[in-house]
Amino acid sequence: MTHVFHRDPRLNYPVAVRGEGAYLIDRDGKRYLDASGGAAVSCLGHSDAKVVQAVQRQLEKLPFAHTSFFTNEPMEALADALIARAPKSFDKVYFVSGGSEAMEAALKLARQYFVEKGEPQRGHVVGRRQSYHGNTLGALAVGGNAWRRKQFEPLLIKTSHVSPCYAYRGKQPGESDAAYCDRLIQELEGEFLRLNPKSVIAFVAETVAGATIGAVPPVPGYFKRVRELCDRHGVLLILDEVMCGMGRSGTLWAFEQEGVVPDMVAVAKGLGAGYQPIGALVVSRQIADTIQRGTGFFQHGHTYIGHAAACAGALAVQKRLHEDGLLSKVTPLGNGLEKRLRNAFANHPHVGDIRGRGLFWGIELVEDRATKKPFDPKLRMHARIKRTAMEAGLMCYPMGGAIDGVQGDHVLLAPPFILDETQLDELVDKLAKAITIPEEITT
Ligand SMILES: Cc1ncc(COP(=O)(O)O)c(C=O)c1O
């Protein structure tokens, strides 16, 4: 009997009691290899002594000082560290406690920017179908996952959605990347024109689309074309790197690999690596200056923004990434993971697509590889895989609805940057067991 309102009260969750490197250990002593970082969170594994020590020291010194009275040392140092490694056009960091809060702040700051800039008619945000930006109402509204939105629709602000850049499903047979991009950009421009471009605040997208679609990188050139289009119409580009940023895709910012710079970028998950709940919105100088020269004050805020212990933890994570070289391990480890995934699953009868970047990979499952026909959603294949993976001592992140919010199953992988070769083998061996689909299920 529990009094906790669990995510799914029908399930019996094992009790996690300890973390040890890439493993979580439950009360019965069972070990789970964390191949998904929970949900792309635990990029340093579960027992990083330097991060733990940094949080402990900060708690002893100063746990919290409300930001309407004080600034604090770790928050200032963390902002400096992020801006030092960001493109030159960025200047300020707004700290929050997670990804949804970072996206809420982005939406409100974007709106306030246009009000202060003298364009108060701009009130519309365009997102992409199948995107996920969080579960608070603003973030949910700009997100495009039909199932997550459906029952809350009456509470959501008005937004609209265009197609994701999802080559496996969206690209037509024989179509080049450039032609596919042309189509997507035409669709986005069509949406801006339909709304009247002068009424649009921002286009919002995940640089590498994560939770609800399964680690889908954009086709080459897509974001450059998006950036040009947004610039042409004076629309802000807000990138959500809550999942794919902070090294997960191989570079600190996932957008580095796209050759574009957004106006704002949201990060969370890997920022605190699970040691502390923290998110951040990194903001261009132009936006920050407009507010500073205008009312001078961003009309927003939460009690825990800039929490000193959370910032100290995240600062220690940054040091581990850069000073201890963990960020540079992501691409070679990711290459090793990709090779093993392709060896194990390229000819698997129910694996339609293997895609990803860095240590962020997705496997899309299909009933039929030739036609790309998905499994019947009633089979809840993703839930089955999660269960069998946990039985095998593997945490991965399967999800349903990749195609349209209802159909499509994928498995997301986002292991820690500290894995060794043997653990990469263990990951793929256990995953292969979890996605062995008995024939009686599909017939
Ligand atoms: C891309 C993206 N944005 C936003 C969020 C929301 O973050 P949080 O759950 O920390 O509120 C998530 C969470 O999965 C995410 O993947």
Side-chain angles (χ1 to χ4, degrees), residues 39 98-101 103 132-135 206 211 240 242-243 268-269 397:
S100 304
E101 279 189 13
M103 289 308 296
Y132 181 61
H133 300 297
N135 264 332
E206 294 162 82
D240 179 346
V242 165
M243 204 175 236
K269 306 210 185 240
Y397 193 26

Side-chain angles (χ1 to χ4, degrees), residues 159-173:
T159 52
S160 53
H161 299 89
V162 293
S163 301
C165 185
Y166 180 13
Y168 176 62
R169 296 271 170 197
K171 225 166 116 173
Q172 285 161 4

Side-chain angles (χ1 to χ4, degrees), residues 7 39-41 97-103 131-136 139 148 205-212 240-244 266 268-269 278-279 360 397 412:
R7 280 178 183 256
V41 175
S97 302
S100 304
E101 279 189 13
M103 289 308 296
S131 58
Y132 181 61
H133 300 297
N135 264 332
T136 51
R148 285 174 194 257
E206 294 162 82
T207 317
V208 179
T212 51
D240 179 346
E241 298 200 354
V242 165
M243 204 175 236
C244 63
K269 306 210 185 240
I278 184 166
F360 195 37
Y397 193 26
L412 192 77

